[in-house]
Amino acid sequence: MSWSEMQPLLSEECWNTLYMVGWSTLIAIVGGLPLGVLLVLTDRGGLLQNVVANKVVGQVVNIARSMPFIILMVALMTFTRWVTGTTIGRDAAIVPLAIGAIPFFARLVETAVREVDGGLVEAVQAMGGNTWTVVRKVLVPESLPSLISSATTTIVALIGYSAMAGTVGAGGLGDLAIRYGYQRFETELMWIIVAILAVAISAIQFAGDYAARTLDRRGGHSGPAPKLRLLKARRPAAVDVGEAV
């Protein structure tokens, strides 16, 4: 196969891969972020402590994460057909991609949020902040660099999942590699696809790492967290003045 024949195929399937990964990433973040925060809030000692709910949600997340993606696609075929009207094509692939990525991202969010300094949470509560205020002003902003890294890891994983989705006719670079690189023995096209995926993953990883480093407040960047620390540090001084009077 000549380059003039490969180019339109590669252009179309690169776009299909971008389409699938983009939408599934958006859905995974929208669904996984609150789920990961909920796992932290309902854990022992959390602001919304509920051990039973935490165990149930945690088990559901664990089961979904442990299922191989290729099996998940087959298991969700009925649901995928109900949502999209078909089980073939890029739109159909978004359903299992997103459902598989939500628990994956949720666990990464849980880990990131647990790293937040508990003293900042106590400071906001001491100033009258409710749970929503703690989440919005402390947990999410303070864990943002780690959340960026988690989103990057999720995107990289979804690119691999999208390639596997090509085995069932989902479209994208994986489908192109199967139909032409494997079934028609177009080895050159296969290696071009491998190179494209490698470059794409490296670029995404670099961009994610750069964004995380830029937003890392521990590296000296200003933000709401230092203000909270300052307020917390001033509270004892205010009490001492009051006692002295």
Side-chain angles (χ1 to χ4, degrees), residues 86-242:
T86 182
T87 58
I88 299 175
R90 63 182 191 178
D91 290 328
I94 292 173
V95 176
L97 283 172
I99 293 177
I102 286 174
F104 180 83
F105 183 65
R107 280 301 185 190
L108 295 177
V109 170
E110 180 188 10
T111 302
V113 172
R114 287 190 188 280
E115 295 175 354
V116 176
D117 184 5
L120 297 177
V121 175
E122 295 174 1
V124 172
Q125 288 180 309
M127 290 183 284
N130 56 21
T131 301
W132 170 243
T133 303
V134 171
V135 172
R136 186 167 57 91
K137 294 292 188 180
V138 179
L139 296 183
V140 172
E142 278 292 293
S143 61
L144 190 56
S146 296
L147 292 177
I148 295 290
S149 297
S150 300
T152 303
T153 302
T154 303
I155 294 172
V156 172
L158 281 170
I159 292 175
Y161 289 167
S162 69
M164 283 189 282
T167 61
V168 292
L173 292 173
D175 180 55
L176 186 62
I178 293 295
R179 286 190 293 113
Y180 287 87
Y182 177 71
Q183 295 176 350
R184 301 187 184 184
F185 303 102
E186 295 286 350
T187 307
E188 184 180 356
L189 179 61
M190 174 76 80
W191 284 112
I192 291 175
I193 293 172
V194 171
I196 291 173
L197 291 174
V199 171
I201 289 173
S202 298
I204 291 169
Q205 190 66 58
F206 175 81
D209 292 343
Y210 178 79
R213 287 194 301 269
T214 302
L215 293 172
D216 192 351
R217 295 182 177 87
R218 289 168 295 185
H221 296 276
S222 60
K227 295 180 181 179
L228 290 174
R229 293 191 184 98
L230 183 61
L231 287 171
K232 184 182 177 183
R234 286 178 175 177
R235 284 184 63 82
V239 174
D240 291 341
V241 172

Side-chain angles (χ1 to χ4, degrees), residues 55-65 103:
K55 292 296 183 183
V56 171
V57 175
Q59 285 301 318
V60 171
V61 170
N62 289 338
I63 292 172
R65 283 184 62 203

Side-chain angles (χ1 to χ4, degrees), residues 34-63 106-107 110-111 113-114:
L35 186 60
V37 173
L38 182 65
L39 286 170
V40 176
L41 295 178
T42 57
D43 200 4
R44 295 184 186 275
L47 299 178
L48 301 175
Q49 178 175 320
N50 189 322
V51 178
V52 175
N54 183 268
K55 292 296 183 183
V56 171
V57 175
Q59 285 301 318
V60 171
V61 170
N62 289 338
I63 292 172
R107 280 301 185 190
E110 180 188 10
T111 302
V113 172
R114 287 190 188 280

